[in-house]
């Protein structure tokens, strides 16, 4: 028929790709990770600043010598004496607030020493007044104004407890025995604790910053910075945020209690774009830090060229993540992060109940961050070690990754229109050349068994990705294997679109909003279990349809066929295994592939049994069986190379057509076979089995056709 010919002219690949893109459009994250004024990367001419040990140029201390002496009484003697000497000097010529000391910096290379104490920066707390109360600037999705640099200079206290604007080579150091001896506290009254904006060469050391409505320590558009032995905690979004910066170093830092991540090197300078694995340098180095009890320990939208080594990320919802999912970040898509020798373990916290019960709807000061409350700002899968959502050329080597409820590694692609780029040539430009090799999975540093739920969860999209063998399985069941050298791999693929069920999961799970208290039903990220999970619901729905249609088809057409009955039994087994394989405990086992194997044999057997009576439906069934068996091979043995889509996409489209065709075939009455010409069959021997034949009219010929169908005899004259 013409309409059938027109439909078949549409390439199934195009249909699948369009469907996948539609799903991803709907699943685009509603929130923005970090909204800032348009910025460009530094020119890269700076360097990582060196720590200076000389006497400070400016001092900051609180009044009350007796209280100060009590604070430092337990310090080592030499350090206690130094602080007493500095305090005597500060009483005469020092400042009582850090912002006042920063404002007094008049030349590059100055040092500010902050003596032990609690600094609430009271002059910065009043609400904006005058011209600063009526600045014209766009609002972010979270409600704060996105101010220009000129507006920050004009009104530095609008959003910042301490604003460092345009200062060069400034060093700020606490003089206590530990970073907890100097505390800078915004009391949830400012967006940022400390903001260093266009301040190249800034060095922060030995203090704590806490309790903001966004982030504690913010470095923006800086060429050269060091964050050394600093603690940040209890913030709506980030502990440390560095953005559009180069020549940066985090070392010996700690962060916890943050609604997004403890450490966020977003839009790090994109110095290695266009390169392979071997690069001349990294823009930011992070080492010796611990980030724990946050939504995620480390995150980086456009976290490009970041070297993350010898850190610990634990007790978060997720250990580390990098992505290309949010617009407004220079350097997208994310590329060239290098993770090595990190301890990434036990990231199984679940803070979504604080959203569900209304805790996160209260004002920040009432939420209980200090008692362990965290308000997750975006959607993410809890119980995961490292999440890469749309990254390229990332290296994950020689890390310990263990004790995760869901997966050690999670990789999925993000099309370019999610980040605001609409060119067709860019839509599949993420999730390529990520290498996961030589990591210690499922064991701690002492060798004790600490399994992950699975080693890898991958949507199947991208090229050049590879993994090592692991003890806890993967989804899909077979993965491209890394070779000994970077760039070597076996069993690679080049898929334009991820697996359909995983895209459906993303569609459901991404519809999260902390502000609206919206936790999507059906997503196990937010607590759905068993039949509540969208994957299991889809499997049950498919099983119900196929069981009904296949059962009726067998009853009407195939119940007399031994082959058809055997195939139907395999189909029932396959559907049961498919439902079981959709559950979290079995997703990374051979069960999903076994389900596809049984279903493929069912369709193949059904096709063979239908050939005598329904040849076209038989051909379609055989095609569907072959595609299903190919899908089983693709998921369990070796990913089929050179195809732009998983066999699951084409199989799904063909299955829809097969269901409709099978319904039609089952609804029509089986046709009566035409009796072949030839001599009449022998009459039954038993009179009881005979069919009564009406008497012939006188003179009518008798025979197998009876009186009604009597033929004229050759001996009889025709009338």
């Amino acid at each position: 028929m013409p309409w059938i010919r027109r439909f078949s002219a549409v390439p199934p690949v195009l249909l699948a790709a369009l469907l996948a893109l539609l799903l991803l459009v709907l699943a685009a994250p509603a929130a923005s990770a970090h909204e800032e004024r348009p910025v460009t990367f530094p020119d890269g001419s700076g360097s990582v600043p060196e720590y200076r040990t000389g006497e400070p140029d400016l001092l900051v201390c609180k009044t009350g010598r007796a209280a100060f002496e009590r604070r430092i009484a337990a310090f080592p003697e030499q350090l206690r004496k130094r602080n007493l000497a500095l305090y005597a000097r500060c009483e005469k010529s020092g400042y009582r607030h850090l912002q006042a000391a920063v404002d007094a910096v008049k030349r590059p290379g100055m040092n500010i020493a902050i003596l032990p104490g609690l600094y609430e920066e009271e002059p910065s707390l009043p609400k904006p007044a005058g011209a600063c109360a009526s600045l014209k600037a766009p609002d972010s999705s979270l409600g704060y104004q996105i101010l220009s640099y000129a507006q920050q200079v004009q009104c530095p206290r609008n959003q910042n407890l301490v604003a460092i604007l345009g200062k060069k080579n400034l060093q700020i150091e606490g003089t206590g025995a530990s970073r907890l001896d100097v505390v800078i506290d915004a009391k949830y009254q400012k967006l940022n604790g400390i903001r260093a904006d266009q301040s190249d060469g800034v060095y922060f050391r030995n203090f704590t910053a806490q309790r903001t409505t966004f982030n504690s320590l913010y470095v923006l558009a800086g060429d050269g910075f060091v964050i050394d032995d600093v603690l940040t905690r209890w913030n709506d979004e980030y502990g440390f945020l560095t953005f559009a910066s180069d020549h940066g170093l985090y070392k010996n830092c700690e962060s916890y209690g943050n609604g997004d991540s403890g450490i966020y090197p977003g839009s790090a300078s994109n110095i290695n774009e266009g390169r392979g694995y071997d690069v001349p340098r990294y823009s930011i180095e992070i080492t010796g830090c611990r980030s724990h009890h946050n939504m995620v320990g480390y995150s980086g939208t456009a976290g490009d060229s970041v070297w993350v080594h010898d850190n610990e990320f634990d007790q978060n919802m997720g250990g580390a993540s990098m992505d290309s999912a949010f617009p407004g970040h220079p350097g997208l898509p994310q590329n060239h992060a290098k993770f090595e020798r990190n301890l990434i373990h036990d990231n199984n916290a679940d803070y979504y109940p604080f959203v569900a019960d209304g805790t996160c709807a209260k004002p920040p000061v009432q939420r209980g961050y200090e008692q362990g409350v965290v308000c997750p700002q975006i959607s993410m899968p809890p119980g995961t070690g490292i999440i890469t959502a749309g990254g390229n050329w990332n290296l994950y080597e020689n890390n310990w990754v263990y004790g995760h409820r869901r997966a050690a590694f999670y990789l999925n692609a993000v099309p370019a229109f999610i980040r605001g780029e609409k060119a067709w040539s860019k839509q599949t430009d993420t999730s390529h050349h990520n290498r996961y090799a030589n990591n210690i999975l499922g064991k701690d540093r002492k060798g004790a068994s600490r399994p992950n739920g699975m080693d890898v969860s991958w949507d199947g999209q991208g090229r050049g990705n590879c993994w090592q063998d692991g003890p806890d399985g993967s989804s899909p069941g077979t993965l491209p294997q890394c070779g000994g050298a970077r760039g070597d791999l076996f069993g690679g693929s080049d898929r334009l679109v991820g697996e359909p069920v995983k895209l459906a999961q993303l569609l459901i799970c991404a519809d999260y909003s902390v502000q609206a208290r919206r936790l999507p039903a059906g997503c196990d990220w937010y607590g759905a279990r068993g039949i509540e999970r969208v994957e299991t619901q889809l499997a049950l729905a498919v099983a119900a349809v196929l069981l009904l249609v296949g059962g009726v088809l067998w009853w009407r057409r195939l119940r007399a066929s031994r082959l058809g009955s055997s195939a139907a039994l395999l189909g029932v087994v396959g559907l049961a295994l498919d439902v079981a394989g959709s559950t979290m405990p079995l997703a990374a086992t051979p069960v999903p592939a076994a389900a596809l194997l049984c279903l493929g044999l069912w369709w193949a057997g059904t096709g063979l049994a239908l050939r005598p009576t329904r040849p076209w439906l038989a051909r379609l069934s055989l095609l569907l069986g072959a595609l299903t068996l190919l899908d089983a091979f693709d998921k369990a043995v070796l990913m089929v190379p050179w195809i732009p889509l998983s066999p699951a996409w084409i199989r799904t489209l063909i299955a829809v057509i097969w269901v409709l065709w099978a319904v039609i075939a089952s609804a029509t009455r089986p046709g009566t076979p035409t009796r072949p010409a030839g001599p009449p069959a022998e009459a039954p021997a038993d009179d009881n089995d005979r069919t009564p034949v009406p008497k012939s009219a006188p003179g009518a010929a008798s025979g197998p056709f009876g009186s009604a169908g009597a033929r004229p005899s050759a001996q009889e004259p025709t009338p």
Side-chain angles (χ1 to χ4, degrees), residues 266-609:
S267 284
S269 194
N270 192 16
I271 58 175
N272 292 312
E273 183 179 17
R275 298 180 184 273
Y277 292 118
D278 295 324
V279 298
R281 71 175 180 92
Y282 289 90
S283 59
I284 294 178
E285 178 183 359
I286 301 172
T287 185
C289 294
R290 185 186 178 208
S291 186
H292 57 98
H293 295 93
N294 309 285
M295 186 193 79
V296 63
Y298 164 105
S299 70
T301 300
D304 305 331
S305 301
V306 183
W307 180 25
V308 185
H309 65 96
D310 301 286
N311 304 283
E312 184 172 14
F313 305 116
D314 66 299
Q315 312 303 325
N316 308 285
M317 289 173 62
S321 72
M322 52 231 71
D323 69 84
S324 302
F326 299 95
H329 288 63
L332 290 171
Q334 185 275 330
N335 62 91
H336 288 94
K338 180 181 180 181
F339 277 66
E340 61 181 350
R341 299 189 304 276
N342 299 288
L343 284 174
I344 304 171
H345 65 94
D346 298 296
N347 292 287
N348 299 308
D350 184 5
Y351 297 121
Y352 287 123
F354 292 126
V355 179
D357 67 12
T359 299
C360 295
K362 299 176 182 177
V365 72
Q366 299 176 16
R367 292 174 187 169
Y369 287 162
E370 298 86 346
Q371 287 74 48
V373 171
V374 170
C375 292
Q377 295 299 305
I378 61 172
S379 58
M380 66 162 297
T384 308
I386 297 180
I387 303 161
T388 307
N392 301 322
W393 295 103
N394 295 302
L395 290 169
Y396 307 102
E397 298 177 334
N398 301 302
N399 301 283
W400 285 264
V401 188
Y402 58 86
H404 295 101
R405 176 172 56 83
R406 185 178 304 273
F409 300 119
Y410 185 100
L411 175 65
N412 68 275
V414 176
F417 61 78
I418 296 292
R419 63 179 189 260
E421 296 190 50
K422 296 190 169 111
W424 278 104
S425 60
K426 293 186 176 183
Q427 296 310 310
T428 59
D429 66 352
T430 69
S431 204
H432 305 303
H433 304 288
N434 298 290
R435 177 180 169 87
Y436 303 79
N438 303 316
N439 300 287
I440 297 90
L441 303 179
K443 292 183 179 179
D444 64 18
R445 297 187 73 169
K446 296 179 180 179
S449 177
R450 297 293 311 284
N452 299 294
M454 66 178 77
D455 296 316
V456 177
S457 177
W458 178 36
D459 68 351
Q461 184 171 337
R463 67 179 176 275
N465 301 303
C466 70
W467 288 264
Q468 65 191 84
D469 285 326
D472 296 317
S474 64
S475 175
T478 185
L479 299 165
Q481 296 294 302
C482 296
R486 292 172 181 169
D488 292 346
L489 59 90
F490 171 74
S493 63
D494 188 359
R495 305 280 167 88
L496 298 178
V497 182
E499 290 287 327
V501 173
K502 291 180 178 177
L503 289 174
Q505 182 202 45
L506 177 62
L507 167 66
I508 299 296
C509 294
D511 188 29
Y512 165 80
S513 171
V514 62
Q515 291 82 17
R517 291 178 60 185
R518 185 171 63 245
L519 289 87
C523 178
D524 56 51
W525 300 2
Y526 313 107
R529 296 291 181 267
I531 198 173
E532 299 172 340
R533 298 176 67 244
V534 62
E535 299 94 322
T536 304
Q537 291 172 356
L538 286 172
L540 282 169
V542 169
V545 170
L546 292 180
L547 192 61
L548 177 61
V549 174
V552 172
L553 180 67
W554 170 80
W555 180 260
R556 297 297 302 272
R557 297 285 179 185
L558 299 173
R559 57 178 168 160
S561 165
R562 182 176 298 175
L563 176 60
S565 297
S566 299
L569 182 60
L570 278 173
V572 172
V573 173
L575 292 174
L577 289 175
D578 191 49
V579 173
S582 70
T583 62
M584 288 183 67
L586 297 179
T589 70
V591 170
L596 290 171
L597 176 63
C598 291
L599 291 172
L601 294 174
W602 167 46
W603 271 306
T606 298
L608 292 173

Side-chain angles (χ1 to χ4, degrees), residues 59-61 85-96 115:
L59 294 170
V60 183
C61 61
L86 290 173
Y87 189 82
R89 177 182 159 194
C90 184
E91 281 185 306
K92 296 177 182 178
S93 59
Y95 298 87
R96 303 299 168 254
L115 276 64

Side-chain angles (χ1 to χ4, degrees), residues 51 53-62 68 71-72 75-87 89-90 111-117 119 171-184 204-208 229:
Y51 173 65
T53 58
E55 285 299 303
D57 300 289
L58 303 171
L59 294 170
V60 183
C61 61
K62 307 306 287 186
F68 179 76
R71 281 183 178 274
I72 67 171
F75 285 10
E77 185 61 20
Q78 186 174 354
L79 181 60
R80 190 180 70 84
K81 288 180 177 179
R82 179 172 185 268
N83 272 275
L84 286 172
L86 290 173
Y87 189 82
R89 177 182 159 194
C90 184
N111 292 6
I112 298 176
I114 314 174
L115 276 64
Y119 295 86
Q171 180 169 301
I172 298 177
E173 178 182 9
T175 64
S178 81
R179 53 199 176 205
L180 286 170
D181 291 319
V182 173
V183 177
I184 300 166
F204 298 106
R205 188 172 188 268
N206 195 32
F207 61 84
T208 293
D229 196 19

Side-chain angles (χ1 to χ4, degrees), residues 31-42:
S32 295
H34 168 233
E35 295 170 270
E36 186 52 85
R37 69 173 190 264
V39 291
T40 57
F41 293 122

Side-chain angles (χ1 to χ4, degrees), residues 683-692:
D686 187 349
D687 287 345
N688 293 329
D689 291 337
R690 295 181 180 179
T691 303

